[in-house]
Amino acid sequence: MKFKNVKVPEGINVSRHSPVADFFILSTGIVVGFAALAAGLLYFGAALARHTPVSWENALAGALFEGRDPAVNVRTTEIVEELQALADRLSIYIDLPEGMTVTVHYWDDDQINAFATLGGHVFIARGLLERMPNENSLAMVMAHEIAHVAHRDPVAALGGVVLLQLLLAVALDTAPTSLEQLVTGPNALLLSGFSRETERQADTAGLHAVAALYGHVAETSTIFEVFLKQPEPPELLSTHPLSRDRIDRIAALARTEGWALDGPRTPLASPLVKPPAAVR
């Protein structure tokens, strides 16, 4: 058999598409694939962390938070005692995991914020406390955060963030953020950014606890009315449901459960009224 060298047609190795289009398609595929991997790691890490023993979470929280409370004066100590007393009353109506207790901290910051983190530690900021007109409104905030503790949301968030940090460290060839920095440093609020669904679940559990404690759910929407006065990102870009939706959901749930939307307001205990900044 005789072979002959066939001339290769010109342009056979040239793409029929624009190089720019090929680059865009390739880049988009990489970004989508990385995002899918990140989402999978967040979900897997969260699911795995929820099933870790409570004793492990408590031990980790003890090691991280031991000795970290700032020096306080007597009046600030009274504030913490009043906040803790309210948390204890609400915890009766929220099904905490066996071995988990709630420890409340007064956070000397003007942010309108509160968050729950590992080991049942709940932080209430001065800025939020100063805007609560009565105990009922504060109780909704407290019950919501206790519900996060009950649902193991903080440790789930940590599990997801740790796996995502490892992925980023490998991809970018950098050292991952330490566990201590994630939980106690400037990045601590990352662990309070739960999903919209976990926020709705915490709202529901919190409302049940408030209704059981007071016999009505008056003032439970106060915190969300405060948030309405602040700029809010679009819901698609937020880990929290929109404040207006949460207010409407409270009213709808009250109708479904037969809870009164009005009732006696309990005044805040005197140490909680315009609390002073903690002594540093």
Side-chain angles (χ1 to χ4, degrees):
M1 182 179 292
K2 187 177 180 181
F3 295 93
K4 64 179 181 178
N5 193 12
V6 180
K7 184 178 179 180
V8 178
E10 292 186 12
I12 193 171
N13 292 321
V14 178
S15 171
R16 297 180 182 180
H17 308 291
S18 165
V20 175
D22 288 340
F23 176 78
F24 178 77
I25 293 170
L26 179 62
S27 300
T28 301
I30 292 173
V31 170
V32 170
F34 190 86
L37 178 59
L41 287 175
L42 281 171
Y43 179 83
F44 177 75
L48 186 65
R50 285 186 197 278
H51 293 91
T52 57
V54 169
S55 59
W56 293 9
E57 182 181 345
N58 289 339
L60 178 59
L64 292 170
F65 289 108
E66 185 177 2
R68 287 188 176 273
D69 279 347
V72 295
N73 57 27
V74 174
R75 182 170 168 78
T76 307
T77 301
E78 292 174 352
I79 292 171
V80 174
E81 290 174 350
E82 289 293 341
L83 291 172
Q84 186 66 56
L86 178 58
D88 292 342
R89 289 159 56 203
L90 288 163
S91 295
I92 296 171
Y93 304 105
I94 299 176
D95 189 18
L96 289 168
E98 184 177 355
M100 181 71 77
T101 58
V102 174
T103 303
V104 185
H105 303 263
Y106 172 66
W107 180 23
D108 181 27
D109 194 285
D110 59 5
Q111 292 187 51
I112 308 172
N113 208 346
F115 66 94
T117 188
L118 297 179
H121 292 269
V122 172
F123 290 77
I124 304 293
R126 170 172 46 82
L128 183 144
L129 193 53
E130 290 175 341
R131 287 165 175 80
M132 295 294 96
N134 45 54
E135 183 184 279
N136 305 72
S137 55
L138 177 59
M140 178 59 191
V141 176
M142 186 74 76
H144 174 96
E145 300 305 334
I146 295 172
H148 278 312
V149 171
H151 299 162
R152 305 293 304 278
D153 291 335
V155 73
L158 178 63
V161 168
V162 166
L163 283 187
L164 185 58
Q165 284 271 324
L166 291 176
L167 172 64
L168 292 174
V170 171
L172 303 176
D173 193 24
T174 58
T177 304
S178 72
L179 191 61
E180 183 174 0
Q181 288 176 314
L182 279 175
V183 177
T184 62
N187 298 317
L189 287 180
L190 287 174
L191 301 186
S192 67
F194 309 123
S195 72
R196 289 191 289 273
E197 183 55 32
T198 57
E199 290 297 327
R200 292 187 185 99
Q201 291 172 358
D203 284 349
T204 299
L207 280 167
H208 276 89
V210 171
L213 180 60
Y214 298 107
H216 60 82
V217 292
E219 300 289 346
T220 50
S221 64
T222 299
I223 182 60
F224 306 123
E225 291 165 1
V226 171
F227 288 154
L228 276 178
K229 300 174 183 177
Q230 312 294 321
E232 286 189 304
E235 186 173 23
L236 187 64
L237 303 178
S238 175
T239 58
H240 290 59
L242 295 178
S243 296
R244 172 50 60 190
D245 292 343
R246 298 173 89 167
I247 292 170
D248 294 341
R249 191 167 180 272
I250 287 173
L253 192 58
R255 288 193 298 270
T256 300
E257 298 289 341
W259 297 328
L261 284 168
D262 200 9
R265 274 67 162 173
T266 302
L268 287 169
S270 57
L272 301 178
V273 179
K274 293 185 179 180
V279 175
R280 297 193 182 282

